[in-house]
Amino acid sequence: MAWPDPVERVAVFLRAAGAEARLEEFESATPSAQAAADAIGCALEQIVKSLVFVCGTEPVLALLPGDRRADPAKIALVAEASDARVARPAEVIEVTGFVPGGVSPVPPPPDTLVLIEQTIISSPVVWIGGGSDRHMAMLSPHELVRLSGGSLVDIAQESA
C-alpha cells in the first residue's frame, strides 16, 4: 500500500533519520487533538499539536500537548518579535507543505524556528501528525526534539 505523498515525505524523513518512530494510518480522520486521542486511545496530552504562527514576518512552528493552548505573547517573546498570530491555512501549507489538520513537525520546515512546549517531555511517548488527517506517528518526546531541531520552552497559556 502506498502512502499519500505528504505522508510518504514524513516516512522517508523518519527512515533517513533512523528515528525510533511508528507511523500509523487510522480509519477515520483525526483533524483535532481530541479526535486523535480518541482514535489512538491515549491521553490528550500525548497528542502533539503542530501550529504555525507568524511572528513579525517570520514563521514559527509551535508544538504543544493536545491539552494545552498556545500563548501568542510567549511565542512572540521567544521568537524576538513584537507580535505573533496564527497563520492562515495558505500560510501553513506554504511553510510546512502540509494542510491544516495533517501538519507534521518532521521534516522540520527549512529556516523556521521550532518551539516545543516544555511539558511535552513529561510523557513517555507522544503522537505527532503524520502528513494527513488520517496518519500519525508515535515517538518519544526526546526523539521529537532531536528530529524537529526544536527548543524546549514555555509557550503554553497558564492553566485556569
Side-chain angles (χ1 to χ4, degrees):
M1 174 186 76
W3 299 110
D5 288 345
V7 178
E8 184 61 27
R9 186 160 51 105
V10 173
V12 166
F13 177 84
L14 292 173
R15 280 192 301 272
E20 293 183 31
R22 184 175 82 222
L23 187 59
E24 290 192 23
E25 180 175 2
F26 295 91
E27 286 186 29
S28 58
T30 57
S32 70
Q34 187 62 61
D38 291 346
I40 294 164
C42 71
L44 186 56
E45 62 266 15
Q46 290 180 282
I47 302 299
V48 175
K49 298 186 289 190
S50 299
L51 308 173
V52 178
F53 282 81
V54 177
C55 296
T57 59
E58 298 299 315
V60 171
L61 181 61
L63 308 179
L64 290 100
D67 64 340
R68 305 292 302 270
R69 293 182 60 86
D71 186 326
K74 288 181 180 180
I75 291 169
L77 184 66
V78 175
E80 300 178 353
S82 59
D83 65 336
R85 66 169 174 80
V86 175
R88 293 183 283 279
E91 292 170 320
V92 171
I93 295 167
E94 181 181 335
V95 170
T96 67
F98 300 108
V99 297
V103 174
S104 178
V106 297
D111 304 319
T112 300
L113 179 64
V114 178
L115 303 177
I116 304 171
E117 167 53 37
Q118 60 196 8
T119 56
I120 279 179
I121 216 75
S122 63
S123 290
V125 297
V126 293
W127 290 83
I128 61 171
S132 86
D133 65 2
R134 292 183 48 190
H135 295 83
M136 298 198 71
M138 182 185 75
L139 67 169
S140 77
H142 296 286
E143 192 73 330
L144 175 59
V145 172
R146 178 181 80 87
L147 296 172
S148 69
S151 301
L152 290 168
V153 291
D154 174 14
I155 55 171
Q157 293 179 0
E158 297 303 317
S159 299

